Amino acid sequence: MFETGVVPAGCHLLGDSGYGSKTWVLTPYLRPQPGYQLHYNRAHKRTRSVVERGIGQWKRRFHVLHSEIHVTPPAKVCKIIFVCGVLHNICKQRNIQLLLEDSQPPAEAENNIWSDDEEDGDGAEQPPAGHHAHNGLLYRDEFARLHFNT
């Protein structure tokens, strides 16, 4: 939807450093320089942490989301996830708490918060090959300068 222009320009997805660089996928700097790059990475980390915690809440509330959802046709998976989101929001609005169980779901979704090492960047910036990757890195730099240059 992003590539075909269905989603308007100026909307973005946040991805980790494993995602390819695109103008609509904002990834962290692997070796951020002090200033706007470091501020951008910190904001990126905080935002992704909120999303990861939300996904953890969904998985605790709706155990069907712990693994692959096998239904036919596959388009029903989107509807199941959408309904889980709607029901979760209703529960939050009505202050219906998550049930605590003896066996907790895998902690990886809830605790997938980046370490400070990742924020500072351990690896060299290795853009994927191709023209689009270069445009994505240039766009990220423009975006970070515009919004995080203090």
Side-chain angles (χ1 to χ4, degrees), residues 1 29 88 101 107 113 134:
M1 293 174 73
Y29 288 95
H88 178 73
E101 298 177 4
I113 312 270
H134 181 69

Side-chain angles (χ1 to χ4, degrees), residues 98-148:
L98 292 167
L99 296 177
L100 296 177
E101 298 177 4
D102 292 338
S103 62
Q104 291 293 323
E108 63 190 51
E110 178 72 6
N111 297 323
N112 191 9
I113 312 270
W114 305 335
S115 69
D116 288 337
D117 293 340
E118 190 167 340
E119 180 182 331
D120 295 337
D122 290 337
E125 194 83 27
Q126 294 292 327
H131 176 67
H132 294 294
H134 181 69
N135 285 346
L137 293 175
L138 290 175
Y139 181 84
R140 178 190 61 190
D141 206 52
E142 255 181 62
F143 181 89
R145 261 194 203 123
L146 177 65
H147 296 289
F148 297 95

Side-chain angles (χ1 to χ4, degrees), residues 58-73:
W58 275 23
K59 286 183 172 186
R60 282 193 308 278
R61 193 179 298 274
F62 303 105
H63 294 274
V64 70
L65 300 176
H66 284 260
S67 60
E68 285 186 49
I69 302 172
H70 298 283
V71 294
T72 305

Side-chain angles (χ1 to χ4, degrees), residues 90-101:
I90 290 170
C91 289
K92 289 192 68 104
Q93 288 171 349
R94 296 183 180 185
N95 204 23
I96 299 170
Q97 300 299 313
L98 292 167
L99 296 177
L100 296 177
E101 298 177 4

